[in-house]
Amino acid sequence: MQNDRDQAIGGHPNWKPETLAVAAGRPDRVPDAPLNQPIVPASTYIGGSTTDLVGYGRYGNAGWSALEDTVAALEGGSRALAFASGMAAAAAVLAAVPADATIVIPEHCYLGVAGLADEYRQRHGLTVRTVDIADTAAVLRAADGAELVWIETPANPTMDVADLPAIAAALPAECLLLVDNTFATPLLQQPLTQGADIVLHSATKFLSGHSDALCGILVFGSDTDAELVARAESARKLHGATPGVLEAYLVLRGIRTLPVRLRQAEASAKVLAGLLADHPLVDRVRYPGFGSMLAIDLTDAESADRFIGNLRLWVHATSLGGVESTLERRRRWPSELPSVPPGLVRMSVGVEHVDDLASDLLTALDLARS
């Protein structure tokens, strides 16, 4: 009997993403088998046949495989690789492209990715072009002669949105398209079905959903060059960027509730975006119309800091995608991109009651004005 994992990877025609989030990556359904994939805390494996041999704990783990199969199924991909963090996954991609390659990245993107690209530029000769990913024509101009176009949509932290189908359709065949899908999640956007070659997730965020695990994942499409996938996997092995077995378990457990978490958080985000737009201290609300991430621009850093200091329910923290609502002024970090406005506050809406979230925000904004 074909097991659930094989069915999910095969893209079961009758299973919606909400079902895959629950049903994919399960052990075989045999009597007395566990319902969940058990944690396998093993660094050493018994030797034997070289066929499908794990060999060593840095090369594979049943828990990784269950997680990878589930995310691949959700994204409509053919293969996924889990890493120790989102940054480890990002580094594996850059390690897989030629050292003298030209890549295009968003002018507004996660500061870690911008820093990593700059390091590869300085140490390895990588050519890095930055572009406004919401300007499709500018993206395509920047992609001329490039080996890789790297897109965040919505972008972190400015919430810029790219036209993925238009970009993918116009890119030359030899140029890879990577999409960081951390903010949208595969429930709201499946870049591989829109022409992307690679999807990246900081699984630490929404996929995990409980602020308790570091993990990154790359997902590859069926048409992605097999040699590229092999180079990314080799980077994981050689650089030791492997996920912990507990972390893989926690992320997979988090995915089981992603549909209900995201549904609640997105509904609240839409309400909050409307309320915040009417407050006189808010110069701009940045909300793409979907998902549970938004940002607001206050007049200056001082106003934003006063606002944050008055909050009681929202948590001032740098991460996102958890069940708790978090926010931060991004320019508090010296390494944040200077093009990010000083008064921009990035917000990750959790699953608390929307009335409590709204009351806390509006009260803090009122106090910041006085």
Side-chain angles (χ1 to χ4, degrees):
M1 179 179 69
Q2 187 181 37
N3 63 34
D4 290 347
R5 182 179 306 152
D6 291 337
Q7 290 178 350
I9 286 295
H12 194 290
N14 298 319
W15 286 0
K16 300 295 189 290
E18 294 82 358
T19 302
L20 286 173
V22 175
R26 299 283 187 177
D28 291 344
R29 291 186 178 182
V30 297
D32 290 330
L35 182 60
N36 296 309
Q37 172 60 46
I39 298 173
V40 184
S43 63
T44 305
Y45 295 82
I46 297 171
S49 169
T50 58
T51 303
D52 296 327
L53 183 67
V54 174
Y56 185 57
R58 187 158 40 87
Y59 300 159
N61 183 278
W64 304 356
S65 297
L67 172 61
E68 291 165 348
D69 290 352
T70 301
V71 179
L74 285 169
E75 286 286 4
S78 61
R79 177 77 192 282
L81 294 172
F83 292 81
S85 66
M87 284 303 300
V93 174
L94 292 189
V97 300
D100 59 350
T102 295
I103 71 167
V104 178
I105 66 171
E107 62 179 354
H108 297 130
C109 65
Y110 176 54
L111 64 86
V113 169
L116 182 67
D118 190 57
E119 178 181 301
Y120 268 74
R121 178 187 64 80
Q122 295 183 53
R123 297 184 61 186
H124 304 292
L126 193 72
T127 297
V128 181
R129 301 171 182 166
T130 59
V131 69
D132 176 2
I133 56 98
D135 185 340
T136 300
V139 172
L140 296 177
R141 286 194 299 271
D144 184 27
E147 281 80 9
L148 172 67
V149 171
W150 189 300
I151 297 290
E152 286 183 12
T153 183
N156 183 6
T158 54
M159 304 297 147
D160 305 321
V161 176
D163 187 342
L164 289 182
I167 293 171
L171 283 179
E174 63 272 15
C175 183
L176 294 169
L177 177 59
L178 177 147
V179 177
D180 186 328
N181 206 27
T182 299
F183 278 16
T185 83
L187 296 185
L188 300 178
Q189 176 177 268
Q190 292 181 317
L192 295 176
T193 67
Q194 298 177 317
D197 300 288
I198 309 170
V199 166
L200 183 148
H201 282 278
S202 174
T204 306
K205 312 301 195 298
F206 286 99
L207 297 186
S208 172
H210 292 79
S211 306
D212 56 7
L214 285 174
C215 186
I217 297 177
L218 295 177
V219 190
F220 303 92
S222 57
D223 296 329
T224 305
D225 181 23
E227 183 179 348
L228 174 71
V229 180
R231 289 199 298 269
E233 185 171 19
S234 177
R236 180 175 72 173
K237 291 179 179 178
L238 295 177
H239 298 170
T242 55
V245 293
L246 176 59
E247 285 76 8
Y249 176 87
L250 290 172
V251 173
L252 183 55
R253 187 178 67 169
I255 289 173
R256 304 307 187 200
T257 60
L258 175 61
V260 291
R261 287 189 286 107
L262 186 59
R263 187 182 307 121
Q264 170 70 22
E266 182 180 43
S268 295
K270 291 178 178 178
V271 172
L272 296 175
L275 292 174
L276 291 167
D278 294 331
H279 197 280
L281 196 63
V282 177
D283 292 340
R284 178 182 178 184
V285 174
R286 301 169 183 261
Y287 183 60
F290 62 94
S292 62
M293 294 296 303
L294 67 151
I296 56 175
D297 290 4
L298 302 187
T299 305
D300 49 41
E302 292 73 20
S303 298
D305 288 340
R306 286 198 305 273
F307 158 62
I308 291 171
N310 291 325
L311 291 164
R312 296 294 176 264
L313 175 58
W314 287 73
V315 181
H316 185 208
T318 193
S319 196
L320 55 97
V323 293
E324 56 283 311
S325 294
T326 60
L327 81 179
E328 70 169 339
R329 185 176 69 84
R330 288 298 300 169
R331 284 289 295 279
R332 74 187 179 100
W333 297 103
S335 56
E336 182 56 88
L337 300 175
S339 57
V340 174
L344 182 146
V345 178
R346 186 188 68 191
M347 309 171 68
S348 172
V349 181
V351 300
E352 307 93 336
H353 197 286
V354 66
D355 291 350
D356 296 326
L357 293 173
S359 176
D360 196 37
L361 291 175
L362 297 178
T363 298
L365 285 168
D366 289 340
L367 289 172
R369 291 185 68 203
S370 58

